Amino acid sequence: MLILGYAVIAYTVFLLSSAWAVYFLAGGIDGPAVSSPWVALAVDGALLLAFAVQHSVMARAGVKQRLTRLIPAAAERSTYVLVAGLLLLAQFVFWQPVPAALWHVGAPWSVAIWVVYAAGWVLVVVSTYAVDHADFLGLKQAYTYLRRLPTSRRRSPGAACTRCAGTR
């Protein structure tokens, strides 16, 4: 039950960070500058780097194996989702706007950009269901563990298909 509760917490953080991301990227990223441009760029760069490193490092098989020595395998994906969600939330909280507009687009192009923006978010949501939403976000692993159901031997969600990449 504890692992399922952990997975639900991770999923909730994912939902909150995703909803905030929609707002943040639609305009919350802008705001009054509170520091010099160089400080803002350094802070923002560090926040983006932390998220990118987490996504790359925690996706590696070796890291997953080491992690499952510390936590049950059924909680590994939820841990990935939780850390990613927390790092996204940290980006939104600690983001430093720069003191100048970097670009501005007027109509009619701004309408096209908003349509592409909305379509992109729809694609993100639909794609999680295309690969099994509950499995991709760690809920299925926790439920399977709780119910003591046999687990599949397939690769973890999000892993590249080696056959598609031309290697075996």
Side-chain angles (χ1 to χ4, degrees):
M1 217 40 191
L2 188 61
I3 291 174
L4 184 59
Y6 178 72
V8 169
I9 289 169
Y11 184 73
T12 302
V13 169
F14 161 78
L15 291 176
L16 289 171
S17 64
S18 296
W20 197 347
V22 172
Y23 160 76
F24 183 77
L25 295 172
I29 196 169
D30 297 325
V34 294
S35 59
S36 75
W38 295 112
V39 170
L41 290 173
V43 169
D44 298 347
L47 291 167
L48 292 170
L49 183 63
F51 184 76
V53 167
Q54 179 269 333
H55 258 60
S56 297
V57 171
M58 285 188 77
R60 305 259 183 235
V63 172
K64 290 178 183 184
Q65 288 173 344
R66 286 186 202 101
L67 186 59
T68 55
R69 291 181 196 152
L70 303 171
I71 62 171
E76 180 270 321
R77 186 67 187 175
S78 294
T79 300
Y80 180 92
V81 170
L82 179 63
V83 173
L86 291 173
L87 284 170
L88 271 180
L89 291 173
Q91 281 189 344
F92 307 145
V93 169
F94 298 112
W95 189 263
Q96 301 286 309
V98 292
L102 299 178
W103 62 289
H104 176 77
V105 177
W109 293 108
S110 61
V111 174
I113 290 171
W114 282 111
V115 168
V116 170
Y117 178 76
W121 280 108
V122 169
L123 179 63
V124 166
V125 172
V126 168
S127 66
T128 67
Y129 286 95
V131 297
D132 190 342
H133 183 80
D135 191 42
F136 183 70
L137 295 167
L139 293 171
K140 185 180 269 184
Q141 295 87 334
Y143 178 76
T144 300
Y145 180 80
L146 175 68
R147 302 285 302 184
R148 292 181 173 80
L149 299 172
T151 58
S152 67
R153 295 188 177 250
R154 68 172 191 73
R155 300 150 92 57
S156 63
C161 174
T162 56
R163 190 168 26 131
C164 299
T167 61
R168 285 204 177 248

